[in-house]
Amino acid sequence: MHLLTHTMSVLNEPEMEQIWQAALRVWARVPLRVQAPEEFLQPLRDLGCAIDGEHVSFPEPVRDLVLGRIEQSRRERGPCRPAEVTTKELSYAASGQALVCCDLETEALRPATTADLAQWSRICDHFPRLGRAHPTFIPQDVPPQICDLHTFATNLLNSRRATTVSVYNADLLPYFLELQAISSGSLEEAKRAPAFVAKCWVNTPFMITRENVEVGLKARELLGQPFNMMTMPVAGTATPVTLAGALVQCTAEVLACNVISLALDDRLIGWIAHPCPFDMKVGIHTQSGPDMDLLALGARQMGAYVFGGEFRGYGGPGTASKRPDAQAVMEKALSCMWGICGGVRGWGSLGVTAFSDIGSVTQLMLDLELMGYFERLLQGIAVEAEKLAEEVICEIAPRGAYFLNQEHTARHFRDELWLPELVDRRVPMAWAQDPRTMIDNARAKARRVAAEAENQCPLSDEQKRAVETVVAEARRQIGV
């Protein structure tokens, strides 16, 4: 039987109902401030929203319309319930949008470069099971107006497939699409499965800027996709510091966003909030720690309570540490274990520190070792005749502890035992003669992999020249 987990709950039903009722009252009282063109605002008017300058309010008929659709979603998806997770496969990906690189040779922090991103792409491809959820590095040796497009092009030229980059400038979207069409082979295929992400970010509390609206609208126009939104509020600065208060505000903002989705695309967008807390001690948002884990799991519960269906846990390899060190290992291991126990089976954030603001090849090696730990944990204990080893016990046990030299041991030790590459398990005196730490082993492996990793880009020379031409044209048009 492999590992079976049940998602934990941090809120009971009466508590979720209290948050829901408070959010409904806030939604009725607080307008959404929107900076947007008429093509965005007119559908809201048509739905019945009241618009006064930048302020969009939601009269009772609009709220009733949304609540009716939400009730329909609840009937279809069933009641809010924790997921019972039996999946034993684990997926994981390098992530981050770091402007800073932790240098592989010196471990010093410095601005990320195009060369860092190119090397990173080759290193990620070196590990077949490692995905890419974000580029990890946003090079700082190119003009900032073009850095996201440059990042996408660098990935294309150094990876075996197009990898995810977020778009924050609507004017660059056509160039992103053109680049992926070169990689995919056709514009239709690029539109069908874009690797880049273009969505409208909500600026908590209750505000959407014109820049974000334009990105969402442009993606809707070019890709034929619905208007996508996301919010990542920070408790203590953009929401109340209390976790319950943050969940109330998140729920109210999600309701406002579902009004927009219904007005533009006649669909519920569902739960789109991923809140995190603020560290009052050092003055920065945080994505690790018990407060983060509780808030994130509470948000998932509220998402299922509002729209129906199962909810899973939260937890992943996030750390506030700036370099690969004991803090990074501790924070990432604890948050992953919390996630595993809550049913999480897929993660990003490998290879990054400082909440994805710093990329490190050494940290990537440590994170891959951590994934190996959890992969073995999820396999559980296999109970079958060969593994029960009844005959082996009867034959060997009367003679003493001689299992080490048995064929049965040779057949099964690789599957049954976890064989870490970086963790040091030597006896003390052997270690004292060569006192290497896990971090030392990770750094040595990182340097070895960096030297061995090959560029697996499948593009032809003609396609590579086309990629460079698109980037050059974008730079010329934007004037950088």
Side-chain angles (χ1 to χ4, degrees), residues 208-383:
I208 305 178
T209 64
R210 191 178 188 95
E211 277 183 326
N212 282 295
V213 170
E214 288 174 347
V215 169
L217 288 176
K218 195 69 173 179
R220 188 168 176 262
E221 171 196 340
L222 292 178
L223 305 176
Q225 67 180 30
F227 189 84
N228 284 318
M229 291 172 282
M230 189 73 184
T231 177
M232 195 172 179
V234 180
T237 57
T239 79
V241 71
T242 54
L243 303 191
L247 292 175
V248 168
Q249 185 174 311
C250 282
T251 306
E253 287 183 335
V254 164
L255 289 169
C257 290
N258 276 270
V259 175
I260 294 171
S261 186
L262 279 174
L264 292 178
D265 299 309
D266 191 31
R267 69 159 191 151
L268 290 178
I269 196 171
W271 187 267
I272 57 168
H274 180 68
C276 58
F278 189 77
D279 190 319
M280 297 291 178
K281 184 177 179 181
V282 297
I284 192 173
H285 80 283
T286 178
Q287 295 180 41
S288 66
D291 46 359
M292 174 67 198
D293 293 338
L294 290 169
L295 183 58
L297 180 53
R300 281 155 177 75
Q301 273 195 261
M302 286 306 302
Y305 189 73
V306 173
F307 296 99
E310 290 185 341
F311 65 91
R312 293 198 179 195
Y314 167 83
T319 179
S321 185
K322 311 308 176 286
R323 292 190 176 97
D325 58 14
Q327 178 183 332
V329 172
M330 184 201 81
E331 288 184 315
K332 291 199 172 201
L334 285 176
S335 62
C336 282
M337 182 58 79
W338 168 260
I340 283 285
C341 292
V344 179
R345 297 294 184 266
W347 287 307
S349 298
L350 271 67
V352 290
T353 59
F355 308 130
S356 300
D357 287 342
I358 300 172
S360 165
V361 182
T362 300
Q363 186 63 54
L364 178 61
M365 301 303 115
L366 293 166
D367 292 343
L368 288 170
E369 181 104 328
L370 183 62
M371 294 302 104
Y373 176 100
F374 288 112
E375 285 183 310
R376 179 61 192 95
L377 189 69
L378 288 174
Q379 295 301 314
I381 299 175
V383 179

Side-chain angles (χ1 to χ4, degrees), residues 8-25 74 80 243-249 251 271 294 297-299 301-306 311:
M8 299 84 71
S9 299
V10 293
L11 299 166
N12 59 36
E13 188 164 341
E15 290 168 338
M16 289 188 286
E17 182 63 19
Q18 287 185 68
I19 292 170
W20 172 238
Q21 293 300 325
L24 290 174
R25 293 189 290 270
R74 285 173 165 173
C80 170
L243 303 191
L247 292 175
V248 168
Q249 185 174 311
T251 306
W271 187 267
L294 290 169
L297 180 53
Q301 273 195 261
M302 286 306 302
Y305 189 73
V306 173
F311 65 91

Side-chain angles (χ1 to χ4, degrees), residues 431-443:
W431 179 88
Q433 294 175 17
D434 180 18
R436 287 176 286 111
T437 67
M438 183 179 181
I439 306 297
D440 294 329
N441 293 336
R443 189 175 296 119

Side-chain angles (χ1 to χ4, degrees), residues 193-214:
F196 52 88
V197 176
K199 64 180 66 174
C200 172
W201 284 91
V202 178
N203 300 90
T204 304
F206 298 96
M207 179 179 177
I208 305 178
T209 64
R210 191 178 188 95
E211 277 183 326
N212 282 295
V213 170
E214 288 174 347

